[in-house]
Amino acid sequence: KLSLFYGGFLAGSNHGQAGYDLTFAIAYLRDFAMTYHCLGDSFETFVPWSMLHSLIDLTKNRIRREHEARCLPGKPLISCRVTQLYDEGACVYFYFCMYTEQVLNPSEIFSELEAAARDEIVKAGGSLSHHHGIGKLRCEFMDKVTPSSLRRVFCDVKKSFDPDNVFGARNGIFHES
């Protein structure tokens, strides 16, 4: 009833399966797009329902502003979709693509724009990640989302189990260990 009220409709399982199948082709599509000077990636977050619309608008606008401020060619392609629903909020996937012909250091510029988007997501009340994890790419944001006292506790617990840092991948909260 709720989805019908807001214009939703049942599309069947075939579309979901096709989307899932596409995940296996994405690496090949990425390589094909790069031959035409396009870089793209996806990133996800969790956001409370009350902040959903503003987070989406703020994130898209931030990417556009950052793109324009660098005088990059064309316009960035930015889209998003809600992939998982919870009582408290939703998981939102953003998709971002930019044209890079004659752009110096395109991967570096792309990373800067993606970091700006992540910064905006955190400022707008979204999580650093929903299920992809923090890793090395987002570890710089740990100071913004985790109190230093909690980071110290986690690092001390890890050190007690792994004093020689055998499992020291330097991901997430352990990026400095």
Side-chain angles (χ1 to χ4, degrees), residues 7-159:
F9 58 92
L10 182 60
S13 62
N14 291 344
H15 298 291
Q17 183 64 47
Y20 178 76
D21 293 343
L22 184 59
T23 61
F24 297 105
I26 285 178
Y28 302 104
L29 292 173
R30 178 206 59 216
D31 293 348
F32 174 77
M34 288 176 68
T35 63
Y36 291 95
H37 309 287
C38 291
L39 284 179
D41 203 359
S42 65
F43 45 95
E44 40 71 74
T45 186
F46 174 83
V47 61
W49 289 113
S50 62
M51 301 173 180
L52 178 70
H53 291 289
S54 62
L55 178 135
I56 290 170
D57 291 340
L58 289 166
T59 303
K60 288 181 174 184
N61 288 332
R62 175 76 180 270
I63 293 171
R64 288 184 191 108
R65 285 194 319 272
E66 297 284 339
H67 187 276
E68 188 175 312
R70 289 168 175 77
C71 301
L72 296 169
K75 294 182 186 258
L77 171 65
I78 313 157
S79 66
C80 67
R81 66 186 178 119
V82 172
T83 60
Q84 288 141 317
L85 309 175
Y86 303 94
D87 291 340
E88 300 82 14
C91 173
V92 179
Y93 264 77
F94 284 91
Y95 302 91
F96 164 49
C97 183
M98 62 181 258
Y99 185 67
T100 61
E101 188 173 23
Q102 298 184 1
V103 173
L104 297 176
N105 304 313
S107 293
E108 183 179 314
I109 299 295
F110 185 90
S111 294
E112 290 173 6
L113 270 66
E114 189 174 349
R118 180 63 57 192
D119 179 62
E120 196 65 37
I121 286 169
V122 170
K123 285 181 185 175
S127 64
L128 195 49
S129 177
H130 176 259
H131 59 275
H132 287 184
I134 307 303
K136 291 175 177 58
L137 291 178
R138 291 176 285 280
C139 66
E140 67 187 71
F141 293 97
M142 292 304 294
D143 295 346
K144 294 180 180 181
V145 298
T146 310
S148 61
S149 56
L150 184 58
R151 289 194 311 272
R152 276 194 307 276
V153 167
F154 285 150
C155 288
D156 288 348
V157 168
K158 180 192 176 292
K159 190 173 186 174

